[in-house]
Amino acid sequence: RLNAKAVASWQRGGMFVTVVEVINTSTKTTSVDYENITGRWLASSIESSELEPKGNLKDRTYLYLISALSFEESLANGL
């Protein structure tokens, strides 16, 4: 029901920030559980945790993940 794709990443002050675009692909309003993302993240934040059905103006949002490792390492170390 959700499609997620990393769209940007940068390092600053020893921390990594990764931006993930999350799109609702279902025909129903869907919640994004941004606090339980697979991987080793120090923090996560999201612009909107409730996404409208596919095709609506608010069917997508951006998720921000903070980590001490790169996106790939943080994802792999959390599995």
Side-chain angles (χ1 to χ4, degrees):
R1 297 183 336 179
L2 295 173
N3 184 3
K5 179 174 99 173
V7 293
S9 185
W10 63 89
Q11 182 180 10
R12 184 171 184 164
M15 298 298 208
F16 291 85
V17 178
T18 302
V19 181
V20 178
E21 182 181 40
V22 182
I23 301 171
N24 185 3
T25 60
S26 77
T27 58
K28 297 181 180 181
T29 299
T30 303
S31 296
V32 180
D33 185 7
Y34 67 95
E35 294 178 326
N36 293 305
I37 306 282
T38 300
R40 297 196 54 179
W41 312 108
L42 300 173
S44 63
S45 180
I46 196 162
E47 291 179 355
S48 176
S49 62
E50 291 291 320
L51 299 180
E52 292 182 4
K54 178 181 179 179
N56 286 284
L57 184 60
K58 296 182 180 182
D59 68 351
R60 64 193 64 219
T61 191
Y62 290 98
L63 169 67
Y64 301 89
L65 300 169
I66 311 297
S67 61
L69 303 170
S70 71
F71 174 73
E72 293 82 7
E73 292 171 309
S74 294
L75 191 58
N77 285 326
L79 298 177

